[in-house]
Amino acid sequence: MAHGRIRAKIKRSSLYTFGCIRPPVDSPDEPHQFRGPGFSRHVCCNQPNLHQKKPLKYCKNYISTTKYNAITFLPKALFEQFRRVANVYFLFAAFLSLTPVSPFSAYSMIAPLTFVIGLSMAKEAVENWHRFMQDMKVNMRKVRVHNGEGVFSLKPWMNIRVGDVVKVEKDQFFPADLLLLSSSYEDGICYVETMNLDGETNLKVKRSLESTLSLDDDSAFKDFSGTIKCEDPNPSLYTFVGNFEYQRQVYPLDPSQILLRDSKLRNTGHVYGVVIFSGHDSKVMQNATKSPSKRSTIERKMDKIIYVLFTLLVLISLISSTGFAIKTKTQMPSWWYLRAPDDEGLYDPTNAALSGFYHLITALILYGYLIPISLYVSIELVKVLQALFINQDLNMYDEETGTPAQARTSNLNEELGMVDTILSDKTGTLTCNQMDFLKCSIAGILYGVRSSEVELAAANQMAMDFEGQDGHFTRSGGQNGPEIELEAVPVSKESFGVPIKGFSFEDNRLMNGNWAREANPDVMLLFFRILALCHTAIPEYNEETDSYSYEAESPDEGAFLVAAREFGFEFCRRTQSSIFVRERNQSSQEYVEREFKLLNLLDFTSKRKRMSVIIQDETGEILLLCKGADSIIFDRLSKNGRMFEEATTKHLNDYGEAGLRTLALGYKKLEESEYISWNEEFMKAKTSIGGERDAMLERVSDMMERDLILVGATAVEDKLQPGVPQCIDKLAQAGLKIWVLTGDKMETAINIGFACSLLRQGMKQICISTNVDMLNQDSKKAVKENIKLQLTNAMQMIKVERDPHAAFALIIDGKTLTYALEEDLKHEFLKLAVGCASVICCRVSPKQKALVSRLVKEGSGKTTLAIGDGANDVGMIQEADIGIGISGVEGMQAVMASDFAIAQFRFLERLLVVHGHWCYKRIAQMICYFFYKNIAFGLTLFYFEAFTGFSGQSVYDDWYMLLFNVVLTSLPVIALGVFEQDVSSEICLQFPALYQQGPKNLFFDWYRIFGWMGNGLYCSLIVFFLNIIIFYDQAFRSGGQTADMTVLGTAMFTCVIYAVNCQIALTMSHFTWIQHFLITFSIFAWYVFLILYGMLPPELSGNAYKIFLEALAPAPLFWLTTLLVTVACNLPYLAHIAFQRSFNPMDHHVIQEIKYYKKDVEDRHMWTRERSKARQETKIGFTARVDAKIRHLKQMLQKKSSVLSPRVALAAART
């Protein structure tokens, strides 16, 4: 096409029979009659200023997907922080620290809380700022807007207002929902790609009203005005009702005149449109939901652990306060030196109950170390660092687009390791919308030697299986008998020359005109002409390559046209009534342009599953050329047209097993009188008005598409995004369930399911659907009863299945899903879906995607992940536990709403199986260890207080307690959370079953949590009682001095530091110099602090003056006690892990041992065997498909063997 303004000579609408035919001029449509709520929108065209004030004030075109704004940040962020139970407790404790009952100074309670809350809020602010900046990239896109006087100038999207007239040029996105006024084509047609809205890649045809066709250049809008009255903003993408008042006439509006925001103008120079819905009123934004506040499963469970610890805290505080009250009443009167009661009334023998209550508050603050305040801030820091590693992972960097992975929120890192179900969009997520013509069957003969991916994988696996089994069949012979050759599996050959997009066919029998020397050249000629003529594509000449490219409604059509071109039948142009094809002359090899008159075009629909054209060639012969699903074409064959049916059927089955998409091709010769008679009926149906028009067209078309003669079949390979089948296969081996939710047609969705191995030959498909006639005629109750019956029958079919290899796939369309998601049916639907190996929901709206996501999340109670690339996926992404946006493709709405962004679907494998697995185990072990060390430390305070008469006295210096979580034990646990690896990334990918440790929650279940708490309890008892026994009533220094409270507290604290740091060293599986340094540093820092603190004047250091240098360091008893207590504290855990690894090892223990002893190098067979074990049994994915292919080949081999065996016996008897 020429650059700049396009004035097409063809009225493109004449190419479309069912969708875009205008009714006769003498039968104008009546305007819509609507009143009442839901239809109050009033748009004054070309007068945007009228919509800036009431009653016509509508929202701006500015959009925001952020979680906070400048006004809501403080209250919402504080709410987020105090949703955490521990923070509520510490806020309560901070208030109490201002009272005399506090055992600590106020700043020591308020400062840590402020630091923790402030740091977490700062992280939220930074992440929200990144979302805001991505929003602004969209808001600042430019489009031409009418400024008055017929002048259009560039404006940002965010400044567009309702009523503005905008000019959108080719390959630009529509900035708002527009009414199409005119286009660069004379008849107001434009082509729109709606991939971001409904996932479909085929181009939609939109047409303007005939009354606005004269508005065909900028100056025409100088005095333009009109009024639109229509429906209010709503999320329905496929409906629109309104009237357009223009030049004293009222015209009805329907969806064919509406251009939706985020769809794209294609194959059209420009369009003019007036803004109807802007910003969050647009249909795509109506389908979006507010940014949700997501919390991970571990974080929610952590709240329950806090409840347990808080219960323990209250319990020991009650014990302490009760003990204090009893001591106050019975013994305090004799303790004259206390001078009871005190001035503040904290202890009064005459009112022991009140004294006990005051002491309860003191104890609640004193034992607060049971609940670690630094836990949250440490987790926040660890998650930020984990997110940094995700962002910097070069294995998830897309070189083609220069796009890295991006963790847009770090709150959900560990949730990546707990996913049970993946809900995926199709278009742009799984597919790259490219078909390759690979094989064909013509006149019952198979052509095409290149193998599909499924065939190659099956051949390789079969070779491995048969070469590795000495007692069974080999490639060349069988056991105890003559040679039994395996059925040949084709091997792909390298393509010579430049690869051709859409054409991977290899077979010299058809190339370069060689087809003319085949057995049936006349049939072959028809085959190639069907490819070149039976379509609705538009050719575009490329001067640089001196060839044609094609704008086709589907990728299949594009592949067929490329194939026809390569075979010597190049579709070059079309007019309203003719199609021109350049055919290669067989004798001279020169190209000759032939004209075929296009008499009728019977378009493809999901119900018809076929497409036909009626053409007249240069000899005057009239032919009907048809292509469609094999089942449809075969049912319409004439008796004498079935000559090649048996061979073609076999080829189609082979293509299906190879994972290819197939169509059958047929034709029919027509007599002129027969055609004229039929055409009269067809034109009557075509120009009729009313609800019966489509049914009449279908009936008349069906009359013609009978008595066909079979020509052959095509096989195209659906080009998925790189690595998609392998990624799905690995995720399936990891035990993940995969659902596909797409706005595409059922046939397309099924084909994609086959291409990415979610479906395969032999898998039983359960199609839950609702007949259109039923929807029109029956009541809602009857429709629901029908759907319920289908669900029940399907469940029964699954229950009675006895074949262990049987697999079921559930396929459901959007209309049926509307009923299946209602309250009384949704649980039955979910139960059926869970029982199937794969689930495909097609023709679903964005809202339905979100509802399905919510149903799976809430109904199963498992973690769900949604992944998509377009605006139609935003609701699903936000509703799921984890939302993944595909960046690097057109449109950024999905990315802006997501929690994580990746450039291609294949990176999901590494994000989950590697980073998800690591993050889950790191966070789980980190939290368990945190509770362990705080229980080990905090309970020693309780023991000492009980030992000292429930006095409220702390055995540790205040500075010891402040430094415990901040410096002395914080760095190793952060290293655990950031660097820990049970196995390397390569091993994670080789042993995908390791991922199931997350969904099964093996490292953060209550058994493990209470185990760590019990370990902390044991450690606290050892630390306290061994120190009391050793230091009580005996000298510990050479001078005979006994230990005072400061010496005892310092010795106990030293034992705690050693015990917890040695414990984390035993917990780690992966050591780098960083872990070694931080653990050593934490212990060394304690001694440095003791020395420096002890050197301070007594006014500052108190009883700790020179405590280490003069009192503890010279005493051998101190060092021996530290060693004894450390060993005693860690010995049970060491025994536990030794027993577990020896007698009940987990999967990663086995792998660690294999790697440590290098058995993976020394014994490759054992390593391969272990790898084959380390995958979840699955019925989807490439591996399951190859296994099914192998079973099929083995069955064929057994049949051959059984046929040959009698012959061998007979030959032996004769000899």
Side-chain angles (χ1 to χ4, degrees), residues 262-292:
D262 287 327
S263 52
K264 191 176 187 180
L265 183 65
R266 296 292 302 274
N267 203 34
T268 309
H270 63 262
V271 297
Y272 293 100
V274 62
V275 177
I276 302 177
F277 299 123
S278 59
H280 288 275
D281 282 348
S282 62
K283 288 183 178 287
V284 67
M285 295 306 295
Q286 287 282 305
N287 274 279
T289 54
K290 291 183 179 179
S291 297

Side-chain angles (χ1 to χ4, degrees), residues 137 221 521 608 667 744 770 781 819 854 910 1063:
K137 285 183 181 179
F221 290 92
R608 285 166 42 78
Y667 79 101
D744 228 333
T770 305
K781 184 178 180 181
Y819 295 97
R854 181 185 302 170
R910 186 172 181 86
Q1063 174 66 66

Side-chain angles (χ1 to χ4, degrees), residues 117-137:
I117 298 296
L119 193 63
S120 297
M121 289 176 65
K123 182 184 83 71
E124 289 283 312
V126 170
E127 292 179 350
N128 198 68
W129 175 257
H130 290 156
R131 288 176 182 265
F132 171 75
M133 294 306 294
Q134 286 186 324
D135 286 344
M136 290 307 296
K137 285 183 181 179

Side-chain angles (χ1 to χ4, degrees), residues 590-647:
E590 296 292 328
Y591 278 94
V592 178
E593 184 172 285
R594 301 191 188 280
E595 178 183 359
F596 298 87
K597 291 184 179 179
L598 179 62
L599 303 179
N600 299 92
L601 189 151
L602 311 180
D603 211 350
F604 179 92
T605 66
S606 58
K607 184 178 180 181
R608 285 166 42 78
K609 297 183 182 179
R610 64 191 183 278
M611 175 192 175
S612 301
V613 292
I614 301 176
I615 56 103
Q616 187 175 30
D617 64 16
E618 292 175 336
T619 66
E621 187 174 43
I622 300 175
L623 296 172
L624 178 136
L625 308 179
C626 183
K627 66 181 181 185
D630 50 65
S631 58
I632 300 296
I633 299 298
F634 286 178
D635 286 345
R636 284 165 169 72
L637 295 178
S638 64
K639 290 183 179 179
N640 62 349
R642 300 178 180 270
M643 187 185 309
F644 314 119
E645 182 179 10
E646 184 178 351

Side-chain angles (χ1 to χ4, degrees), residues 202-490:
N202 58 302
L203 302 182
K204 309 292 192 305
V205 182
K206 300 288 185 177
R207 60 181 174 85
S208 66
L209 296 170
E210 291 189 10
S211 59
T212 59
L213 291 178
S214 60
L215 301 169
D216 56 357
D217 58 26
D218 293 1
S219 60
F221 290 92
K222 180 178 179 181
D223 300 316
F224 168 67
S225 64
T227 303
I228 301 171
K229 294 180 180 178
C230 64
E231 63 187 22
D232 291 337
N234 64 79
S236 176
L237 295 174
Y238 307 109
T239 61
F240 181 83
V241 178
N243 288 332
F244 178 50
E245 297 180 13
Y246 180 58
Q247 295 179 343
R248 299 183 181 180
Q249 293 288 327
V250 180
Y251 303 93
L253 300 177
D254 59 53
S256 65
Q257 286 105 33
I258 304 302
L259 307 174
L260 298 182
R261 179 187 174 114
D262 287 327
S263 52
K264 191 176 187 180
L265 183 65
R266 296 292 302 274
N267 203 34
T268 309
H270 63 262
V271 297
Y272 293 100
V274 62
V275 177
I276 302 177
F277 299 123
S278 59
H280 288 275
D281 282 348
S282 62
K283 288 183 178 287
V284 67
M285 295 306 295
Q286 287 282 305
N287 274 279
T289 54
K290 291 183 179 179
S291 297
S293 177
K294 297 182 180 180
R295 301 182 72 205
S296 70
T297 304
I298 285 184
E299 189 174 347
R300 291 194 298 269
K301 193 166 188 175
M302 200 162 64
D303 283 347
K304 297 177 181 177
I305 301 173
I306 296 293
Y307 289 135
V308 172
L309 291 180
F310 188 74
T311 302
L312 177 63
L313 170 63
V314 172
L315 178 63
I316 62 175
S317 297
L318 286 172
I319 294 172
S320 177
S321 62
T322 303
F324 180 78
I326 294 172
K327 290 277 188 180
T328 300
K329 186 171 185 65
T330 58
Q331 298 182 22
M332 190 170 287
S334 61
W335 298 340
W336 55 269
Y337 50 85
L338 291 178
R339 299 182 181 179
D342 67 321
D343 296 336
E344 295 174 343
L346 297 181
Y347 47 92
D348 184 359
T350 63
N351 194 352
L354 182 61
S355 298
F357 174 74
Y358 286 146
H359 188 82
L360 175 64
I361 298 174
T362 300
L364 287 172
I365 299 174
L366 178 64
Y367 305 144
Y369 281 90
L370 285 173
I371 302 174
I373 190 172
S374 61
L375 172 61
Y376 286 118
V377 71
S378 297
I379 290 177
E380 297 282 1
L381 179 59
V382 163
K383 287 184 176 182
V384 168
L385 293 174
Q386 288 177 348
L388 185 63
F389 281 125
I390 291 174
N391 297 345
Q392 298 297 320
D393 190 342
L394 292 177
N395 290 305
M396 294 194 294
Y397 176 77
D398 185 42
E399 294 184 359
E400 185 178 344
T401 60
T403 309
Q406 182 185 9
R408 302 185 72 249
T409 176
S410 58
N411 293 340
L412 303 171
N413 294 351
E414 68 275 21
E415 201 81 340
L416 290 171
M418 305 182 71
V419 176
D420 178 78
T421 304
I422 296 174
L423 306 166
S424 175
D425 176 42
K426 180 190 72 68
T427 306
T429 303
L430 298 178
T431 62
C432 56
N433 311 313
Q434 179 186 337
M435 303 289 179
D436 271 9
F437 190 95
L438 194 66
K439 297 173 185 285
C440 62
S441 172
I442 309 175
I445 301 174
L446 190 69
Y447 295 97
V449 297
R450 180 180 285 232
S451 303
S452 69
E453 292 180 356
V454 171
E455 286 178 305
L456 289 174
N460 292 333
Q461 187 65 43
M462 282 286 288
M464 292 173 59
D465 287 352
F466 283 103
E467 287 174 359
Q469 296 176 6
D470 297 330
H472 296 280
F473 297 114
T474 64
R475 284 176 178 264
S476 58
Q479 185 179 12
N480 300 326
E483 289 191 355
I484 301 173
E485 294 183 0
L486 286 174
E487 181 174 329
V489 180

Side-chain angles (χ1 to χ4, degrees), residues 56-244:
L56 300 180
K57 187 174 183 180
Y58 301 129
C59 74
K60 299 178 181 178
N61 205 41
Y62 174 88
I63 64 159
S64 173
T65 61
T66 57
K67 191 175 178 181
Y68 312 103
N69 58 38
I71 297 174
T72 63
F73 174 73
L74 191 61
K76 287 185 73 174
L78 284 173
F79 171 75
E80 287 294 321
Q81 296 306 312
F82 289 107
R83 285 172 66 182
R84 296 168 170 172
V85 181
N87 286 344
V88 174
Y89 163 74
F90 286 113
L91 180 65
F92 175 68
F95 282 123
L96 292 179
S97 68
L98 300 171
T99 65
V101 299
S102 173
F104 308 121
S105 57
Y107 79 87
S108 65
M109 296 298 296
I110 295 173
L113 178 65
T114 305
F115 174 75
V116 168
I117 298 296
L119 193 63
S120 297
M121 289 176 65
K123 182 184 83 71
E124 289 283 312
V126 170
E127 292 179 350
N128 198 68
W129 175 257
H130 290 156
R131 288 176 182 265
F132 171 75
M133 294 306 294
Q134 286 186 324
D135 286 344
M136 290 307 296
K137 285 183 181 179
V138 175
N139 288 322
M140 293 305 293
R141 287 177 178 170
K142 299 293 180 63
V143 70
R144 295 191 179 278
V145 182
H146 185 231
N147 292 334
E149 302 302 321
V151 178
F152 283 74
S153 59
L154 290 174
K155 275 188 180 181
W157 279 21
M158 60 188 289
N159 292 338
I160 294 174
R161 296 166 293 178
V162 172
D164 269 327
V165 176
V166 299
K167 181 180 181 181
V168 180
E169 296 177 336
K170 183 180 178 181
D171 293 330
Q172 288 185 345
F173 290 99
F174 298 117
D177 290 352
L178 311 176
L179 169 65
L180 174 61
L181 298 175
S182 65
S183 77
S184 55
Y185 293 118
E186 288 180 349
D187 54 357
I189 290 292
C190 73
Y191 294 89
V192 176
E193 181 182 84
T194 59
M195 187 176 70
N196 277 338
L197 304 182
D198 56 17
E200 293 192 16
T201 54
N202 58 302
L203 302 182
K204 309 292 192 305
V205 182
K206 300 288 185 177
R207 60 181 174 85
S208 66
L209 296 170
E210 291 189 10
S211 59
T212 59
L213 291 178
S214 60
L215 301 169
D216 56 357
D217 58 26
D218 293 1
S219 60
F221 290 92
K222 180 178 179 181
D223 300 316
F224 168 67
S225 64
T227 303
I228 301 171
K229 294 180 180 178
C230 64
E231 63 187 22
D232 291 337
N234 64 79
S236 176
L237 295 174
Y238 307 109
T239 61
F240 181 83
V241 178
N243 288 332
F244 178 50

Side-chain angles (χ1 to χ4, degrees), residues 791-1013:
L791 294 174
T792 305
N793 292 340
M795 280 297 302
Q796 189 63 29
M797 185 168 66
I798 293 175
K799 286 180 181 178
V800 300
E801 182 59 55
R802 293 289 179 263
D803 183 2
H805 299 298
F808 294 89
L810 174 62
I811 302 164
I812 186 170
D813 61 47
K815 290 179 180 177
T816 310
L817 195 60
T818 303
Y819 295 97
L821 291 174
E822 292 186 4
E823 195 64 35
D824 52 342
L825 285 181
K826 66 180 183 181
H827 296 296
E828 289 186 42
F829 165 66
L830 180 62
K831 187 177 179 182
L832 173 62
V834 169
C836 292
S838 59
V839 180
I840 297 178
C841 304
C842 47
R843 278 298 184 193
V844 293
S845 68
K847 211 78 169 179
Q848 286 178 319
K849 288 186 177 185
L851 291 173
V852 171
S853 181
R854 181 185 302 170
L855 173 64
V856 178
K857 178 177 68 174
E858 296 177 352
S860 67
K862 305 289 183 64
T863 302
T864 58
L865 179 148
I867 179 169
D869 71 313
N872 61 322
D873 303 313
V874 169
M876 173 177 72
I877 286 172
Q878 292 182 333
E879 189 63 52
D881 293 300
I882 307 169
I884 309 287
I886 301 288
S887 57
V889 295
E890 296 172 342
M892 291 292 288
Q893 286 76 13
V895 171
M896 289 189 295
S898 67
D899 305 304
F900 298 88
I902 53 179
Q904 293 190 26
F905 183 88
R906 61 189 170 95
F907 296 138
L908 185 64
E909 174 189 346
R910 186 172 181 86
L911 184 64
L912 296 184
V913 177
V914 177
H915 290 283
H917 175 71
W918 283 349
C919 290
Y920 163 73
K921 292 192 72 173
R922 288 166 177 171
I923 295 295
Q925 289 180 308
M926 176 184 173
I927 294 172
C928 288
Y929 172 78
F930 239 107
F931 289 126
Y932 151 80
K933 73 181 181 68
N934 277 67
I935 288 175
F937 174 63
L939 285 181
T940 56
L941 291 167
F942 171 67
Y943 303 149
F944 183 78
E945 199 219 13
F947 193 75
T948 56
F950 300 105
S951 60
Q953 176 65 50
S954 171
V955 68
Y956 305 121
D957 186 275
D958 283 359
W959 278 101
Y960 296 179
M961 297 170 69
L962 284 173
L963 292 175
F964 178 75
N965 281 318
V966 176
V967 176
L968 301 177
T969 61
S970 61
L971 297 180
V973 75
I974 290 173
L976 173 71
V978 176
F979 300 108
E980 172 64 0
Q981 297 178 14
D982 56 347
V983 292
S984 66
S985 60
E986 293 78 11
I987 299 300
C988 285
L989 296 173
Q990 291 176 10
F991 292 81
L994 286 175
Y995 183 81
Q996 278 299 303
Q997 293 177 342
K1000 293 177 181 177
N1001 205 13
L1002 297 182
F1003 287 85
F1004 205 64
D1005 57 1
W1006 285 110
Y1007 173 80
R1008 190 170 290 266
I1009 291 166
F1010 284 123
W1012 277 98
M1013 288 182 176

